[in-house]
Each structure stands twice: as C-alpha cells, then as structure tokens.
Amino acid sequence: MNILGISCYYHDAAAVLLQDGILVAAAQEERFSRIKHDPSYPRLAIKFCLEHAGIKPSDLEYVVLHEKPMPKLERFLTCTLRYWPQASSLFQDGAIGWMKQKLWIRSRVAEELGIDRGKVLFVEHHMAHAASAFFCSPFSESAVLTVDGVGEWATATMGVATSSPCSINLSHEMRFPDSLGLLYSTFTAFLGFEVNEGEYKVMGMAPYGEPRFLSELNQVAHLNEDGSLRLDLSYFSFQYSSQRSFTKRFTDLFGQPRDSDLEFVTGRFDTGDGPEDLKQRNQHYADLAASIQKFTEDALLKMATHLQHTTGARNCCFAGGVALNSVANSKLLRSAGFDRIYIQPAAGDSGGALGAAQYVWHVLLGNPRSFVLEHAFWGQSYSNEEISSALAGTGAELIATEDELIERAVRDLVSGKVLGWFQGRFEWGPRSLGNRSILADPRSIEMKGIVNSKIKFREPFRPFAPVVPEECVDAMFVSPENLTEQYPARFMLLVMPWEDEAGKKVPGVNHQGTGRLQSLRREWNPRYHSLLKHFGEATGVPVLMNTSFNVRGEPIVASPSDALCTFRKSGLDVLYIGDYRLGK
Ligand SMILES: [Fe+2]
C-alpha cells in the first residue's frame, strides 16, 4: 500500500512516501524549488517521491496532510475577531492565503494528483509530530512530547505511545497563545534574525552571554512546575500581527531590537575586536540570547520531567520545531529521568508529512510496526552519468577507485583545503549529515573563520559541528548516557561537552567546550565513514568539521548543478561529487 504524506502552506513544505509502512522517499520542497523554507504545495517533492518508487498518482491509496485546516481557520478567525481592529493586517495577510490555498487543500491535492477526494485525509498537527517520532523510533512503548510554535491550537502536547496495538494518546496539551516556540521565535525576531530560520543563530549566540534576564523573562512568561507556560500577552503582538511579534511594553523591558546588520563583537571568546560601545550593545543581545535559551531549557526540562514522573516511561520520543534545539535536547537527555530519547532528523514541520502518513498506516489502518529510521538519507540521488553531464567542460577528473578518492580527499583536507562533499541521496531534515556537506580540518581555530566568512558568508559567532566515528564517540565526549545508543546524536541534535584532551585537538568544532555531535556508523554511510577513518589515521584526530553545503540564505544543494553553482560562487577549494574531483 502506497501512502503519500504532505506538509505545506506554513513553512518547510515536504513530501514523504511510505510503501507498506516502510519509508521509501522523503524530501523538502526547498531542495528542488531552491526557495529557502518553501511553504508552497510540494509538487516537486511529490514528483520525486513517486518517481523514486516508480509509481503513478493512481497507485496511491491515501494522501495525508499534516494538519487539519478547519481548526486552524477557527484560530485565525477567533484571533481576528478578538483583537479587531489591531488584527486588521493579520486578517488581510492571512485571508488571502486562506481563500487562495488553505481552504481548498483537499480539492487541490485531488486535482493535482488526479485522485478521488476521498483518498485525501488529515491528521492533527501535533499528532503528526508525535507519530513521526514514535513510529520512526526503535521503542515498543514510549512517552511522547511535542513542542513547537503552534499547530491548529496546540503548542505542546504530551502523552504515551504503544506498539501493540499501535496507539498514541496525547493526554495533555498547551494551547495558543501560550507557546514556548512562539516565545523563542519572538526573541529570534527581536535579536534581528528571521523567524523559523534564525532560531539556530540565537542558540549559537547564547554561549557568548550570561542569562541575566531570567527575572524579566519570568515577568513576560510564567512557567509552571509541569512546564506549562502562561504568557502575559501585553508584551506580545504575534496573536494579532503578522508583521511584529512584540509590543512597546516588551521593548521598554528589553531595550530596542537588534539591527540585523549589527556586527557581532562582544569582547568575549573569539568574536574579534571592535569599539567598546559596540561590544557593550552586543553583550546586551548575547545576554538576552543566553536568557531565552536558558528559559527554554528550563521549561523543556520541567515538561519532560513531569512527563517522566507521570508515565514512569524509560523512553521519550520528542518532536516539533523546539526539538531541533540541540542544546536543550542534551539537558533533557541528561536530567529528565529518561534512559533514551528519540528525535527524527526532520523534527520540525516538514517531518509532519512523515508522521501523518505513519499515523494512517499504523493507527487508522492498524498495521504493526516494521520500520526504524536509522539514518537520514531519503532524498534524491544522482547517477555518475547525470553528474558527468553537469560537469561537462569543467575539467573535473574521474577518480578510478574508491581508495584513490579517499586518499586524495584526505590529502586535500590535511593541506587545509575546504571540500564540497556531494554523495548519494540528500538528507531528510535541516542538517547536512555527510551527503551534501562542506568538510574541513577542525584542528585549527582559523578554519572556523575561513569557512564562516569565505565559504558560507555567515555570522562569525555561528559554530560548526563535528562528525566522529561512532566507535570513538564515548571516549571523546563526556557522556554518562552511552551516546552510541542515542539516536539524536546521529542526526546532529545533541550538543555534548568534549573531553578536555579531545576538545583541545579540534578548536574549529569546539564551541565553549561543547560540540554539536554527529556520530557515524560505517553501515549508514560507508564512503563518509572511510573518509573520516583515513583522516583520523593521517592526523591522529578522527574528527571532521561538517556544515551544510549551501551559502547563507540558500537551501542546501540538491542536484549536481546546484553543487557546481555553489562551488563557483563560494570560496570552496575542491568539489568531490560522486566519483569526480573538481579543483579551482
Ligand atoms: Fe509544528
């Protein structure tokens, strides 16, 4: 049975195909359309899923959307009426989207695919998040936690899931406008970053500050012992404005918002030098980033601890956009009382497409489980012929053997070159995990600056992540949790403290003593593992700096021509693409 899952019309549209409950293909629309966070109907991602499986739309038994439009419309209309006339711009902006797209989604899907409307189903947003984590996990039973900005009305849920029979009972929920995700996004906007994009930047900025605004934060958001929140809405305007998410009262308390172009120099760590007043202004913003990060960690930990106490569960499945906060995830793993946590790589809204399809297969149709999501490589791959035609006339060299390719790449890395690394199927989720990656030698601190400024063109404070062979992970990180059993470590969703000696050897991926780890087992990606192993043999350090293969503001590359284009316009030194090597 073929079930297509779709998420769209908010941000990060995606499509996923299940065949008899087994994941076959999954991709975000942005990789094909080249529009970052593309929210539109994922026509290209659907086309890829169907072509990958060699099926036609008429072969689909069900097409499942990751949220229910009517309750969402109810929230939109309720907010409009409650906050009129302040909500007039929200209404104008939103009404067009509702009239043009969201209201007619069932007909649109049926027409696009030429299928019966009765085949189009809807699953609640947080249920889709919950299902995406539990039905990808190896756990037969688990506690479930979902936290995001907002779905239909829910902003966080908790409950339990079981496998025989397959069921998910979300017994508790927090509702809009009380939302940990929207609180974090409000600070993201205040700190000069784009919402649903810059949350990572707030997390990256946080270690440069001190959380000295926690009492002010408690004033705007009251945190209960069970982790639930009560926002004081006089500080916020997201409930009635699509332009600005905070009020004058908020700026009276926290100061003026940060200009997005403000150079980030704090006088701390490795942010460089600058005038004293600039340092002080930035320190204020870094302290705010540290405060909202700490508040979020505290809130999540309270939620997770409450969930553990009330369910007694040993396992926790966690999903929703907030589950991409890798610093908070490690605190949750360490302190909430669970033995193991599972987060699938597309924990945000794109992942709802996967959970919606799985919910139909396992819960509505009652089918047993037979799938665990062990790796993230579910996107499109390209043959050597396709790569070769994209590279025609560039002078790229076909490397004859696997051994030679690895040897050449190691030699390039050791000599300080920065590599574009393009192999196999692209990754599911926002992280590059070795198939669409930029790789570099992490043994010098300078490499961080080189990759940030010449290649990624991004902010100097943003850290880079290490990839480490699974067999070396426990020796290199301080982790009583047996990291090799923790799936989020595979997907770069845990920030862990380095063991002192190991951390000193890799300053390029050592962010104030921590690293956002990707652990790698050979069977998940043999070529990438081999590169890492041979780099370790050549240098004594089996660690590479890994960041996504894109430049600032663009989606991660998908096709060989995307890779070539990014290679040319960035400061990348060498491109390894399939079996080809292209230098500059
Ligand atoms: Fe969500």
mmCIF file of all heavy atoms in Angstrom, residues 178-194:
data_model
loop_
_atom_site.group_PDB
_atom_site.id
_atom_site.type_symbol
_atom_site.label_atom_id
_atom_site.label_comp_id
_atom_site.label_asym_id
_atom_site.label_seq_id
_atom_site.Cartn_x
_atom_site.Cartn_y
_atom_site.Cartn_z
ATOM 1 N N ASP A 178 -0.414 30.577 24.465
ATOM 2 C CA ASP A 178 0.692 30.186 25.342
ATOM 3 C C ASP A 178 1.588 29.202 24.581
ATOM 4 O O ASP A 178 1.153 28.080 24.299
ATOM 5 C CB ASP A 178 0.147 29.557 26.627
ATOM 6 C CG ASP A 178 -0.661 30.572 27.434
ATOM 7 O OD1 ASP A 178 -0.190 31.713 27.587
ATOM 8 O OD2 ASP A 178 -1.770 30.224 27.876
ATOM 9 N N SER A 179 2.797 29.618 24.262
ATOM 10 C CA SER A 179 3.627 28.794 23.379
ATOM 11 C C SER A 179 5.105 29.040 23.639
ATOM 12 O O SER A 179 5.582 30.176 23.529
ATOM 13 C CB SER A 179 3.299 29.140 21.919
ATOM 14 O OG SER A 179 4.296 28.626 21.058
ATOM 15 N N LEU A 180 5.814 27.961 23.954
ATOM 16 C CA LEU A 180 7.265 28.084 24.151
ATOM 17 C C LEU A 180 7.948 28.401 22.819
ATOM 18 O O LEU A 180 8.876 29.206 22.758
ATOM 19 C CB LEU A 180 7.809 26.774 24.736
ATOM 20 C CG LEU A 180 9.290 26.760 25.104
ATOM 21 C CD1 LEU A 180 9.637 27.824 26.127
ATOM 22 C CD2 LEU A 180 9.698 25.367 25.622
ATOM 23 N N GLY A 181 7.467 27.774 21.740
ATOM 24 C CA GLY A 181 8.058 28.013 20.417
ATOM 25 C C GLY A 181 7.877 29.458 19.974
ATOM 26 O O GLY A 181 8.801 30.079 19.448
ATOM 27 N N LEU A 182 6.684 30.009 20.190
ATOM 28 C CA LEU A 182 6.439 31.394 19.772
ATOM 29 C C LEU A 182 7.200 32.380 20.654
ATOM 30 O O LEU A 182 7.612 33.446 20.193
ATOM 31 C CB LEU A 182 4.933 31.699 19.784
ATOM 32 C CG LEU A 182 4.136 30.999 18.668
ATOM 33 C CD1 LEU A 182 2.644 31.256 18.834
ATOM 34 C CD2 LEU A 182 4.597 31.442 17.288
ATOM 35 N N LEU A 183 7.391 32.028 21.924
ATOM 36 C CA LEU A 183 8.210 32.870 22.799
ATOM 37 C C LEU A 183 9.643 32.930 22.261
ATOM 38 O O LEU A 183 10.248 33.998 22.137
ATOM 39 C CB LEU A 183 8.189 32.315 24.229
ATOM 40 C CG LEU A 183 9.067 33.046 25.244
ATOM 41 C CD1 LEU A 183 8.559 34.460 25.509
ATOM 42 C CD2 LEU A 183 9.131 32.270 26.570
ATOM 43 N N TYR A 184 10.196 31.761 21.911
ATOM 44 C CA TYR A 184 11.569 31.706 21.373
ATOM 45 C C TYR A 184 11.651 32.472 20.051
ATOM 46 O O TYR A 184 12.595 33.220 19.800
ATOM 47 C CB TYR A 184 11.991 30.240 21.177
ATOM 48 C CG TYR A 184 13.498 30.035 21.171
ATOM 49 C CD1 TYR A 184 14.168 29.695 22.341
ATOM 50 C CD2 TYR A 184 14.250 30.175 20.003
ATOM 51 C CE1 TYR A 184 15.548 29.499 22.342
ATOM 52 C CE2 TYR A 184 15.619 29.987 20.001
ATOM 53 C CZ TYR A 184 16.272 29.639 21.178
ATOM 54 O OH TYR A 184 17.640 29.453 21.175
ATOM 55 N N SER A 185 10.619 32.298 19.214
ATOM 56 C CA SER A 185 10.610 32.989 17.915
ATOM 57 C C SER A 185 10.503 34.502 18.086
ATOM 58 O O SER A 185 11.050 35.262 17.277
ATOM 59 C CB SER A 185 9.442 32.503 17.058
ATOM 60 O OG SER A 185 9.650 31.168 16.724
ATOM 61 N N THR A 186 9.789 34.947 19.118
ATOM 62 C CA THR A 186 9.696 36.379 19.380
ATOM 63 C C THR A 186 11.086 36.942 19.677
ATOM 64 O O THR A 186 11.472 37.997 19.157
ATOM 65 C CB THR A 186 8.740 36.646 20.563
ATOM 66 O OG1 THR A 186 7.449 36.159 20.204
ATOM 67 C CG2 THR A 186 8.650 38.127 20.881
ATOM 68 N N PHE A 187 11.861 36.237 20.477
ATOM 69 C CA PHE A 187 13.235 36.676 20.748
ATOM 70 C C PHE A 187 14.114 36.551 19.509
ATOM 71 O O PHE A 187 15.029 37.344 19.301
ATOM 72 C CB PHE A 187 13.827 35.901 21.938
ATOM 73 C CG PHE A 187 13.447 36.513 23.256
ATOM 74 C CD1 PHE A 187 12.286 36.121 23.899
ATOM 75 C CD2 PHE A 187 14.207 37.520 23.834
ATOM 76 C CE1 PHE A 187 11.900 36.708 25.098
ATOM 77 C CE2 PHE A 187 13.836 38.118 25.027
ATOM 78 C CZ PHE A 187 12.678 37.701 25.670
ATOM 79 N N THR A 188 13.838 35.549 18.681
ATOM 80 C CA THR A 188 14.591 35.406 17.432
ATOM 81 C C THR A 188 14.419 36.665 16.588
ATOM 82 O O THR A 188 15.390 37.232 16.071
ATOM 83 C CB THR A 188 14.093 34.166 16.659
ATOM 84 O OG1 THR A 188 14.260 33.016 17.481
ATOM 85 C CG2 THR A 188 14.852 33.963 15.364
ATOM 86 N N ALA A 189 13.158 37.119 16.458
ATOM 87 C CA ALA A 189 12.875 38.337 15.685
ATOM 88 C C ALA A 189 13.500 39.556 16.366
ATOM 89 O O ALA A 189 14.115 40.404 15.710
ATOM 90 C CB ALA A 189 11.373 38.514 15.543
ATOM 91 N N PHE A 190 13.360 39.640 17.695
ATOM 92 C CA PHE A 190 13.897 40.774 18.443
ATOM 93 C C PHE A 190 15.423 40.873 18.266
ATOM 94 O O PHE A 190 15.988 41.957 18.197
ATOM 95 C CB PHE A 190 13.539 40.611 19.925
ATOM 96 C CG PHE A 190 14.012 41.729 20.788
ATOM 97 C CD1 PHE A 190 13.281 42.910 20.903
ATOM 98 C CD2 PHE A 190 15.198 41.629 21.501
ATOM 99 C CE1 PHE A 190 13.728 43.962 21.692
ATOM 100 C CE2 PHE A 190 15.647 42.671 22.297
ATOM 101 C CZ PHE A 190 14.906 43.841 22.399
ATOM 102 N N LEU A 191 16.070 39.713 18.169
ATOM 103 C CA LEU A 191 17.539 39.704 18.039
ATOM 104 C C LEU A 191 17.994 39.874 16.587
ATOM 105 O O LEU A 191 19.178 39.713 16.270
ATOM 106 C CB LEU A 191 18.104 38.417 18.638
ATOM 107 C CG LEU A 191 17.997 38.362 20.179
ATOM 108 C CD1 LEU A 191 18.311 36.966 20.707
ATOM 109 C CD2 LEU A 191 18.916 39.388 20.833
ATOM 110 N N GLY A 192 17.063 40.204 15.703
ATOM 111 C CA GLY A 192 17.432 40.574 14.332
ATOM 112 C C GLY A 192 17.517 39.417 13.358
ATOM 113 O O GLY A 192 18.098 39.545 12.280
ATOM 114 N N PHE A 193 16.928 38.274 13.727
ATOM 115 C CA PHE A 193 17.001 37.111 12.847
ATOM 116 C C PHE A 193 15.602 36.771 12.317
ATOM 117 O O PHE A 193 14.586 37.120 12.920
ATOM 118 C CB PHE A 193 17.571 35.898 13.586
ATOM 119 C CG PHE A 193 18.911 36.157 14.207
ATOM 120 C CD1 PHE A 193 19.092 36.032 15.583
ATOM 121 C CD2 PHE A 193 19.994 36.540 13.428
ATOM 122 C CE1 PHE A 193 20.329 36.283 16.162
ATOM 123 C CE2 PHE A 193 21.229 36.790 13.995
ATOM 124 C CZ PHE A 193 21.401 36.656 15.374
ATOM 125 N N GLU A 194 15.616 36.017 11.221
ATOM 126 C CA GLU A 194 14.349 35.634 10.606
ATOM 127 C C GLU A 194 13.708 34.489 11.391
ATOM 128 O O GLU A 194 14.382 33.503 11.721
ATOM 129 C CB GLU A 194 14.652 35.177 9.170
ATOM 130 C CG GLU A 194 13.485 35.251 8.237
ATOM 131 C CD GLU A 194 13.904 34.762 6.857
ATOM 132 O OE1 GLU A 194 15.032 35.098 6.425
ATOM 133 O OE2 GLU A 194 13.122 34.033 6.249
#
